[in-house]
Amino acid sequence: DAGVIQSPRHEVTEMGQEVTLRCKPISGHNSLFWYRQTMMRGLELLIYFNNNVPIDDSGMPEDRFSAKMPNASFSTLKIQPSEPRDSAVYFCASSSPGQGRHEQYFGPGTRLTVT
Amino acid sequence: AQTVTQSQPEMSVQEAETVTLSCTYDTSESNYYLFWYKQPPSRQMILVIRQEAYKQQNATENRFSVNFQKAAKSFSLKISDSQLGDTAMYFCAFMESNDMRFGAGTRLTVKP
């Protein structure tokens, strides 16, 4: 299995621009999670999906952030407009709790820099 | 809300020796899951070990084992025969109903 795939691995953009991060979960996993990691706040859960449906988006910082999961094999996290304080590493993770497997497997992360 | 506390920001150990990383958590739930993740300089988050709260037996994975004390809400990680490749940030995580919360992490350095 290829594991969780994220793209791009690095993104540098200017303030005000739209940023889209992409994630492909492990095949067969029905839960998908988006996290943000910063030095100041550590790892924070932004939103998670079960069977493509958003379950808890209470961690999404502002309306500038949105996430979608149009099908079981693809999800996006969009920031519009981006701001310098959005600079962080964004991780996607997936799991299969319906099969009793609650551990989450993480992608390699996207390092976002907003200048 | 569940909180996870890792009281050791940094630790070091000599190669081949044993080290224990501490983690405590706060919850009113009885059914939950606990994990330790490793994040090396590559920043990849790697699952090290997991523990179901309903299991009394401590989980082990090769050189990694946990000491799970449910009443004390403690979940420490023991690394035996430390190797240079164990150098990384280690995160303790608590999960209930798919809501995962992480501790601030412990930076472990294995010295040759």
Side-chain angles (χ1 to χ4, degrees), chain A residues 9-81:
Chain A
R9 294 293 305 276
H10 302 273
E11 177 79 29
V12 180
T13 191
E14 292 184 347
M15 176 177 170
Q17 297 297 307
E18 177 180 297
V19 175
T20 300
L21 311 181
R22 298 172 175 80
C23 175
K24 176 180 169 56
I26 292 172
S27 177
H29 283 192
N30 64 333
S31 292
L32 183 140
F33 308 80
W34 282 102
Y35 290 90
R36 178 172 68 177
Q37 185 178 33
T38 62
M39 289 294 292
M40 290 296 293
R41 300 174 68 88
L43 271 159
E44 302 174 279
L45 176 65
L46 300 177
I47 185 171
Y48 77 87
F49 296 83
N50 274 353
N51 297 317
N52 312 340
V53 176
I55 302 300
D56 183 355
D57 65 354
S58 59
M60 295 285 262
E62 302 171 30
D63 291 344
R64 298 184 296 105
F65 286 69
S66 63
K68 294 182 179 180
M69 192 165 186
N71 56 62
S73 60
F74 183 67
S75 176
T76 60
L77 177 67
K78 184 178 293 187
I79 308 172
Q80 166 64 20

Side-chain angles (χ1 to χ4, degrees), chain A residues 37 50 101-102 104 106, chain B residues 33 37 39 44 50 98:
Chain A
Q37 185 178 33
N50 274 353
R101 305 292 295 184
H102 294 265
Q104 296 178 15
F106 284 72
Chain B
Y33 301 84
Y37 282 87
Q39 187 176 39
Q44 176 75 48
R50 62 180 175 270
N98 256 355

Side-chain angles (χ1 to χ4, degrees), chain B residues 3-90:
Chain B
T3 59
V4 181
T5 302
Q6 294 180 248
S7 59
Q8 305 150 314
E10 295 188 17
M11 294 190 71
S12 63
V13 63
Q14 291 295 131
E15 193 176 8
E17 294 191 346
T18 296
V19 64
T20 299
L21 309 183
S22 302
C23 173
T24 58
Y25 57 94
D26 183 28
T27 184
S28 58
E29 303 294 333
S30 59
N31 294 321
Y32 50 87
Y33 301 84
L34 296 161
F35 307 91
W36 279 97
Y37 282 87
K38 167 186 176 181
Q39 187 176 39
S42 66
R43 82 165 181 252
Q44 176 75 48
M45 290 287 287
I46 302 167
L47 176 67
V48 174
I49 199 166
R50 62 180 175 270
Q51 175 81 43
E52 293 88 343
Y54 63 85
K55 290 187 178 179
Q56 293 184 339
Q57 185 173 6
N58 289 325
T60 62
E61 288 287 343
N62 301 313
R63 299 182 295 107
F64 299 88
S65 61
V66 299
N67 183 5
F68 174 46
Q69 301 290 328
K70 191 171 184 179
K73 298 179 183 177
S74 171
F75 183 61
S76 61
L77 175 70
K78 185 172 81 171
I79 306 175
S80 304
D81 186 25
S82 298
Q83 301 176 359
L84 296 178
D86 295 335
T87 291
M89 283 288 289
Y90 286 81

